[in-house]
Amino acid sequence: MLQKSTITSNALITNEEAKIFYEDMFLGRIFEDTCAKMYYQGKMFGFVHLYTGQEAVSTGIIKNLKPYDYVCSNYRDHVHALSKGIPPKELMAELFGKETGCSKGRGGSMHIFSSKYNFLGGFAFIAEGIPIALGAAFRNIYQKQILHKIDDLPVSICFIGDGATNNGQFFECLNMASLWKLPIIFVVENNQWAIGMANQRASSVQEIYKKADAFNIPGVEVDGMNILEVIKISREAIARARSGQGPTLIEALTYRFRGHSLADPDELRSIEEKNFWIARDPIINFVNYIKNHNLISDDEIKKIEKKVKLRIEEAVKFAIDSPEPNLHDLSKYLFY
Amino acid sequence: MFDALRSAIDEEMNKDETVLVIGEDVGHYGGSYKVTKDLHLKYGDLRILDTPIAENSFTGMAIGAAMTGLRPIVEGMNMGFLLLAFNQIANNAGMLPYTSGGNYQIPIVIRGPGGVGRQLGAEHSQRLETYFQAVPGLKIVACSTPYNAKGLLKSAIRDNNPVLFFEHVLLYNMKQEIPDYEYTLPLDKAEIVREGKDITIITYSRMRYHVLKAVDRLIEKNIDPEVIDLISLKPIDIDTIIRSIQKTHKACIVEECMKTGGIAAEIIARVNELIFDYLDSPIIRLSSQDIPTPYNGLLEQHTIVHSEQIINSIIKQLNI
């Protein structure tokens, strides 16, 4: 039975893993910063929800998955998509609405999809992706038990926010996941705000991980700004799911440094609150850990950062140079 | 009818292991209308999955399973219950193949009984086909005989798109001889039930029988109607309708859905757009009243269309 995690720094990750994790977090951060620039330059449109500050959760969970595992996200999906492996070029092109985007320019920021990387979306309405994630988990046990097609049991990760945990679909899916012991992990990124609604004003029970108790699902709370905690708990949850023991609910306490979306003036959150969380920047935390444990040299870190920045520059150029979809293809992809 | 549907499901499940049934009481209970009776004994509890009462979520789960390689048949115990699943059906089933730019297909069938029954009360007497009509990515089919039910359901299961498959609560006990050999029917073709030259009568589902009853009487009056059963509510088989009206120049649509925003409203608009000049007179639509179906039997009878009304309307249209 999983218990509440404590901070640990005992040889959890190797040097190689540290590089992968650091690069992924840094990629997520620079990508989102670039999105903000591109949006204000008029290259990106509509509702864009940036993930800045929450990188430890995406990297900490997704980088422990195998390619055949599924990730299902919500509208704050850019960094989840990157962690899962969708190339920055395809993602940026999608955000620019181009034909070379992962959703062929038909989806946009809130509808990132990739069947190649088993990324199930990208959803605009709160909680409507949870049943989809459940469906992938159901498919996994079906493949194993009925079709005998696979040896390893793929798992399904469902990312939701604090606001979604008061929605009917959340409870309905927790129930079914537990009932059928589906290989799914519900990851609640509790950044404490649903647009302008503070979690305290929306939830009768503040501790989201406790909501899992009602369905006999182990619920754990982790410090979402500490990637090591996230890694530790996610490996346990993934192993649980893969071994057929069923679902886990992970509540990651985190914070989004930017507003809800690029259109949000973000006036309700106090300066003190923001500063408190910015001081716990997960990337800076991790760099300190890396340096204290000599996991990556300063030179290597610089190399990684340079590589990431170059990848993003190339992604922007690719997106700018890519063609718009053909008008004649307006109705393409509707029916098969 | 329920046997024909069952046999379609059984044949397809036997042939293709990725086909499964998801719904309330489909397994151990055998299905509220016996469509899945004893299938769980043959296929097990995972392939005939009894769900908790959570339409939006289990429909969404079926959609997620369809995206990732399975071919689920979701049973709405009553199609009205799918109002709970509107989010998943409209936003996910109807949209994801498109918004994902072709990354995912959703080969799902959502089937169950709809229509006005015998004093079942307003909520169990709904016609959801019109609510879903406007959702771009869906196909909608209404079966009306055991023969077409089996052929259409097999096609729906094999189709790679989301198909809403409307059965009618009062047609399940209908009997008809159907072939022993395997057959399928196209999802997008209307059925010409009777050829004629005086007027085109367009209908679907249970109203087909009210129309046929009226037609018996009209024939006695030397009227020669052409009867078309739509079968496909989305997309409408407009070609078959056009060819008929080009011959008869008059049309009457008999539907069980409400008048407002109904299937007839859509057909009339399209016919006007395409072949207005072929019409000698406006198309008449006979639809259910725009009210919730009352429990009282007499009132209930008056919310839907009757053969008498059909006869009178046609006589009037033909100026006889």
Side-chain angles (χ1 to χ4, degrees):
Chain A
M1 193 75 174
L2 293 177
Q3 290 162 338
K4 186 169 165 157
S5 167
T6 53
I7 298 173
T8 175
S9 57
N10 298 324
L12 182 63
I13 55 176
T14 64
N15 294 28
E16 277 316 300
E17 284 172 336
K19 287 188 196 147
I20 292 170
F21 290 130
Y22 180 67
E23 183 173 336
D24 193 57
M25 286 176 86
F26 195 73
L27 178 68
R29 179 64 60 91
I30 302 299
F31 189 91
E32 297 292 70
D33 285 347
T34 308
C35 281
K37 287 202 199 89
M38 293 295 113
Y39 190 82
Y40 294 124
Q41 280 179 26
K43 299 262 192 317
M44 210 178 276
F45 315 95
F47 291 127
V48 179
H49 309 83
L50 300 182
Y51 194 77
T52 314
Q54 302 182 199
E55 296 85 357
V57 186
S58 184
T59 300
I61 305 254
I62 299 177
K63 281 320 194 194
N64 294 304
L65 296 175
K66 297 269 190 323
Y68 52 69
D69 293 321
Y70 292 91
V71 167
C72 193
S73 181
N74 47 65
Y75 49 65
R76 205 175 300 283
D77 55 357
H78 302 176
V79 178
H80 295 152
L82 290 171
S83 295
K84 192 62 171 71
I86 293 177
K89 285 161 72 155
E90 281 181 39
L91 189 53
M92 194 64 77
E94 182 59 34
L95 299 173
F96 283 28
K98 301 296 180 81
E99 178 69 28
T100 50
C102 47
S103 306
K104 303 285 190 297
R106 269 68 169 179
S109 171
M110 298 181 284
H111 304 289
I112 302 300
F113 290 87
S114 169
S115 51
K116 178 173 178 193
Y117 293 99
N118 290 324
F119 194 79
L120 299 167
F123 295 90
F125 285 21
I126 294 290
E128 75 181 351
I130 306 175
I132 302 293
L134 195 75
F138 177 82
R139 168 259 182 208
N140 294 339
I141 53 158
Y142 192 98
Q143 287 273 354
K144 190 157 188 180
Q145 286 180 29
I146 305 288
L147 301 174
H148 308 294
K149 267 195 177 158
I150 46 187
D151 295 317
D152 250 357
L153 185 62
V155 306
S156 176
I157 312 289
C158 179
F159 283 100
I160 43 181
D162 40 284
T165 67
N166 292 320
N167 186 278
Q169 282 166 108
F170 176 67
F171 299 112
E172 289 172 1
C173 290
L174 284 184
N175 179 50
M176 287 189 278
S178 182
L179 190 63
W180 298 320
K181 279 192 149 53
L182 298 183
I184 183 169
I185 302 169
F186 299 97
V187 180
V188 181
E189 296 184 274
N190 183 359
N191 59 23
Q192 302 148 64
W193 290 86
I195 307 187
M197 188 63 162
N199 192 37
Q200 292 95 299
R201 297 180 65 223
S203 296
S204 53
V205 172
Q206 290 296 288
E207 293 85 359
I208 294 172
Y209 70 93
K210 285 188 183 168
K211 297 184 188 186
D213 284 346
F215 304 95
N216 232 18
I217 294 176
V220 208
E221 183 188 84
V222 300
D223 177 1
M225 306 312 256
N226 181 334
I227 193 176
L228 299 164
E229 257 202 52
V230 177
I231 291 168
K232 181 170 189 292
I233 233 52
S234 80
R235 285 178 178 173
E236 285 172 28
I238 291 168
R240 246 182 78 79
R242 243 193 252 301
S243 67
Q245 293 172 71
T248 307
L249 178 78
I250 298 174
E251 178 188 355
L253 299 176
T254 183
Y255 200 75
R256 50 168 164 81
F257 295 166
R258 297 175 183 272
H260 161 74
S261 72
L262 288 173
D264 173 20
D266 194 16
E267 287 160 349
L268 280 181
R269 306 189 302 170
S270 70
I271 308 277
E272 294 78 32
E273 182 186 280
K274 290 183 206 177
N275 287 339
F276 172 80
W277 285 93
I278 289 172
R280 300 167 65 215
D281 188 321
I283 298 181
I284 296 176
N285 274 351
F286 191 45
V287 169
N288 290 340
Y289 176 81
I290 285 169
K291 292 192 174 175
N292 289 340
H293 290 80
N294 288 317
L295 288 176
I296 315 175
S297 68
D298 285 352
D299 257 1
E300 270 293 340
I301 289 179
K302 285 201 177 60
K303 260 170 87 178
I304 290 172
E305 291 176 0
K306 196 163 168 218
K307 178 183 170 199
V308 165
K309 288 184 177 159
L310 190 60
R311 271 187 99 189
I312 305 271
E313 267 170 42
E314 284 169 357
V316 172
K317 182 167 193 310
F318 175 78
I320 289 174
D321 291 344
S322 284
E324 305 267 331
N326 198 320
L327 210 51
H328 291 120
D329 291 336
L330 183 60
S331 298
K332 197 174 177 190
Y333 307 119
L334 197 57
F335 289 110
Y336 294 86
Chain B
M1 168 85 80
F2 64 83
D3 244 341
L5 293 163
R6 183 183 182 280
S7 131
I9 294 173
D10 191 4
E11 283 175 19
E12 293 305 300
M13 285 184 74
N14 196 37
K15 192 195 236 333
D16 183 347
E17 277 195 307
T18 65
V19 178
L20 66 148
V21 178
I22 294 174
E24 294 160 3
D25 277 326
V26 293
H28 297 191
Y29 191 73
S32 299
Y33 292 93
K34 298 183 250 180
V35 172
T36 51
K37 190 170 196 306
D38 291 341
L39 288 181
H40 74 289
L41 295 173
K42 185 171 175 186
Y43 295 109
D45 286 347
L46 197 61
R47 291 189 74 191
I48 306 284
L49 186 73
D50 279 325
T51 64
I53 304 170
E55 275 78 4
N56 201 20
S57 289
F58 71 67
T59 303
M61 185 182 93
I63 293 168
M67 283 164 74
T68 50
L70 301 185
R71 306 185 74 90
I73 304 166
V74 175
E75 175 172 304
M77 187 185 272
N78 183 288
M79 286 302 249
F81 300 176
L82 297 181
L83 288 171
L84 275 297
F86 216 112
N87 184 4
Q88 289 295 333
I89 296 173
N91 275 1
N92 285 342
M95 284 196 204
L96 294 191
Y98 185 83
T99 45
S100 73
N103 268 292
Y104 291 102
Q105 292 176 20
I106 300 178
I108 191 176
V109 176
I110 300 174
R111 52 153 293 274
V116 175
R118 301 212 194 286
Q119 297 186 259
L120 300 180
E123 295 182 33
H124 281 85
S125 311
Q126 301 193 66
R127 287 123 286 158
L128 258 46
E129 56 271 18
T130 48
Y131 301 2
F132 287 111
Q133 201 192 172
V135 178
L138 301 177
K139 294 189 179 183
I140 306 179
V141 161
C143 63
S144 52
T145 68
Y147 175 76
N148 67 37
K150 183 173 181 186
L152 290 168
L153 187 52
K154 283 170 74 83
S155 293
I157 294 167
R158 295 180 192 187
D159 199 280
N160 290 326
N161 303 282
V163 180
L164 300 192
F165 192 94
F166 284 89
E167 298 151 14
H168 196 288
V169 76
L170 293 180
L171 293 182
Y172 282 121
N173 289 325
M174 226 201 117
K175 289 192 173 36
Q176 183 185 26
E177 285 267 355
I178 61 177
D180 281 331
Y181 55 79
E182 188 175 34
Y183 68 96
T184 59
L185 290 170
L187 292 178
D188 57 355
K189 293 278 172 292
E191 180 190 337
I192 299 176
V193 183
R194 180 187 192 277
E195 283 187 21
K197 56 172 177 29
D198 289 342
I199 185 166
T200 300
I201 308 177
I202 300 164
T203 186
Y204 69 93
S205 190
R206 184 173 171 241
M207 284 294 132
R208 169 185 173 130
Y209 299 97
H210 289 218
V211 165
L212 290 176
K213 225 170 115 189
V215 164
D216 282 342
R217 298 266 303 279
L218 291 169
I219 292 171
E220 288 167 15
K221 296 179 194 293
N222 287 324
I223 296 170
D224 184 31
E226 179 145 291
V227 178
I228 296 176
D229 184 333
L230 285 169
I231 302 291
S232 179
L233 303 183
K234 186 178 172 72
I236 301 277
D237 181 3
I238 199 68
D239 288 341
T240 299
I241 294 172
I242 286 174
R243 276 194 301 273
S244 179
I245 294 178
Q246 284 172 328
K247 188 169 55 164
T248 64
H249 308 288
K250 290 176 206 65
C252 174
I253 307 176
V254 181
E255 58 182 5
E256 197 174 307
C257 56
M258 267 85 82
K259 184 183 283 272
T260 302
I263 303 291
E266 179 60 28
I267 294 174
I268 294 172
R270 285 191 198 230
V271 170
N272 281 350
E273 279 165 8
L274 295 167
I275 54 161
F276 178 73
D277 289 334
Y278 281 89
L279 287 170
D280 285 347
S281 54
I283 302 178
I284 299 295
R285 55 179 175 165
L286 300 175
S287 327
S288 292
Q289 303 288 316
D290 283 313
I291 57 174
T293 310
Y295 163 69
N296 172 277
L298 189 65
L299 291 181
E300 179 184 68
Q301 283 309 300
H302 280 82
T303 62
I304 60 173
V305 175
H306 288 284
S307 302
E308 282 303 315
Q309 290 166 270
I310 302 170
I311 294 166
N312 292 339
S313 176
I314 296 200
I315 288 176
K316 196 159 160 218
Q317 279 178 271
L318 293 173
N319 282 321
I320 294 169

